[in-house]
Amino acid sequence: MTPTLQTLQADITQLDVDAIVNAANTSLMGGGGVDGAIHRAAGHELVAECMTLNGCRTGEAKITQGYRLKARHVIHTVGPVWHGGGNGEPELLRACYQNSLALAAEHGLQSIAFPCISTGVYRFPADQAAEIALEAVKVFLQKPSSIQTVIFCCFSEADRARYERLLSPIGATQQSPGQGGVAEDALG
Ligand code: ADP
């Protein structure tokens, strides 16, 4: 089965998938934005498990149970704070997607949903972040793994439209020919 990419405008805490990805901070103790929303929805058991993990470095990823979420697991990854782009931010953001997918595949998971990592309080430019996210996922899916569905879960309509432009064949002018190695579904 060919893996599919989807874009959704939704609250990631509501998704029924094998794993949702959390844009966490290095402490893994919860925070604002999507991190706070995930911890509130999952309940206090999540922070208890996070306390056993010894934090997480920027670009790396760690997995926990989903507790009260519909999602079975949470993959916590720490995006880079944007300091102008010359401090390894693009590579670190790519690593977040790669390491999250690798961890999901190690656990045999089939469906995973990402928020727009680093584009909130960490101020990573949204267009560049979306291009990096999409490219990292496409490269990962070129090799067979358990992963069948990757969802880009956008909180804002602007972010959803941004991903849809990048995913849709009509908006493919920004992509080099032959890049579409996987089937792409752009669900609205
Ligand atoms: P970071 O610190 O990595 O920038 P933020 O949580 O501030 O993380 O923002 C990352 C992205 O998550 C932003 O695009 C923000 O709009 C989005 N976001 C915030 N809450 C949710 C939610 N409940 N579901 C999905 N995305 C969310």
Side-chain angles (χ1 to χ4, degrees):
M1 199 172 120
T2 314
T4 59
L5 304 185
Q6 303 175 2
T7 173
L8 275 185
Q9 185 186 2
D11 176 353
I12 202 165
T13 66
Q14 301 305 307
L15 299 187
D16 184 359
V17 286
D18 290 336
I20 60 170
V21 176
N22 182 15
N25 58 51
T26 53
S27 78
L28 297 185
M29 290 294 113
V34 70
D35 192 9
I38 288 171
H39 275 271
R40 278 193 298 279
H44 65 272
E45 296 97 330
L46 180 60
V47 83
E49 185 175 357
C50 284
M51 282 174 76
T52 69
L53 297 179
N54 220 5
C56 183
R57 293 204 187 99
T58 304
E60 296 184 357
K62 297 206 173 168
I63 191 166
T64 63
Q65 300 299 312
Y67 299 101
R68 296 180 208 178
L69 295 165
K70 282 187 206 140
R72 270 69 74 197
H73 298 86
V74 180
I75 292 177
H76 306 261
T77 189
V78 182
V81 179
W82 181 259
H83 290 297
N87 296 282
E89 295 93 331
E91 294 74 21
L92 288 166
L93 186 62
R94 187 171 306 118
C96 287
Y97 286 90
Q98 287 166 343
N99 288 326
S100 297
L101 289 164
L103 199 50
E106 262 174 49
H107 285 77
L109 307 187
Q110 295 189 358
S111 54
I112 180 169
F114 285 95
C116 304
I117 299 166
S118 280
T119 65
V121 296
Y122 284 3
R123 304 181 315 271
F124 203 114
D127 279 331
Q128 198 184 340
E131 285 170 20
I132 290 169
L134 210 52
E135 179 65 19
V137 169
K138 283 184 175 181
V139 167
F140 187 90
L141 293 180
Q142 278 167 6
K143 294 205 182 121
S145 78
S146 61
I147 296 172
Q148 296 303 324
T149 306
V150 178
I151 297 171
F152 295 104
C153 178
C154 301
F155 210 39
S156 71
E157 168 55 23
D159 277 330
R160 191 199 59 78
R162 188 186 326 280
Y163 274 89
E164 197 136 324
R165 269 198 307 279
L166 290 171
L167 275 168
S168 116
I170 297 161
T173 49
Q174 293 157 17
Q175 298 178 9
S176 57
Q179 222 178 351
V182 294
E184 293 164 13
D185 276 346
L187 302 183

